[in-house]
Amino acid sequence: MADGDDRPLRQYACLKCLDRKPFWNRPPKAKCNGCETWLLPVAKEEEIGYGQFRCDLCGNEFTNGKSRWSVTQPCYGEHGSQAVRKCTGEVLPDSVGPPPRDSSRKSMEKQHRCAGCETGACKHRPISKKASD
């Protein structure tokens, strides 16, 4: 870590200030910026954040902005020796935390694609490179 603090980041949420978003800080406790109440971290299995995944079936690596430790995400990588079939793996996150601070997020070779993407029903936004003007 840049500041020399190796304690992991944890998520905090104030129940008194429900209009405020959860935030990430280092344990053991943090203070709410709204009401200045001291908070304990959210239970680890309830944390929601930027998840990083790696599928054991096909090796596909992907991310999801609203991930939980206890919820699997479908893998849409290619599986099989001829890379013809689509992977059907369900993957738990390797990590859940705040989104990266810099804008150079790891570009993913494989993008999210599901049946809902084709019909417009899916709420995920595919990762795309910035178009040059």
Side-chain angles (χ1 to χ4, degrees):
M1 308 259 157
D3 59 4
D5 193 346
D6 59 352
R7 292 177 295 163
L9 287 170
R10 293 293 307 275
Q11 191 171 51
Y12 294 83
C14 182
L15 296 176
K16 293 179 183 177
C17 302
L18 293 177
D19 58 329
R20 295 192 172 272
K21 292 183 178 181
F23 61 96
W24 295 86
N25 203 346
R26 300 196 191 289
K29 55 186 180 177
K31 190 182 274 190
C32 173
N33 289 332
C35 66
E36 298 190 3
T37 300
W38 284 100
L39 307 170
L40 293 174
V42 173
K44 193 161 182 96
E45 62 273 1
E46 297 298 320
E47 290 178 344
I48 300 173
Y50 183 82
Q52 296 182 340
F53 299 82
R54 184 178 187 288
C55 180
D56 291 334
L57 295 176
C58 69
N60 183 30
E61 293 181 359
F62 58 99
T63 60
N64 183 301
K66 293 188 177 182
S67 301
R68 293 175 91 167
W69 285 103
S70 58
V71 179
T72 61
Q73 297 286 329
C75 176
Y76 296 98
E78 295 176 348
H79 182 61
S81 59
Q82 297 179 356
V84 178
R85 297 185 340 203
K86 295 295 178 189
C87 183
T88 58
E90 291 288 325
V91 186
L92 285 169
D94 292 328
S95 66
V96 175
R101 295 192 126 198
D102 63 13
S103 60
S104 63
R105 290 187 179 178
K106 182 180 178 185
S107 66
M108 300 315 246
E109 188 177 310
K110 305 203 176 22
Q111 297 181 4
H112 168 84
R113 290 181 299 261
C114 69
C117 289
E118 295 176 16
T119 63
C122 182
K123 303 225 186 268
H124 290 97
R125 297 183 190 237
I127 300 169
S128 61
K129 295 182 179 177
K130 290 182 179 178
S132 41
D133 295 55

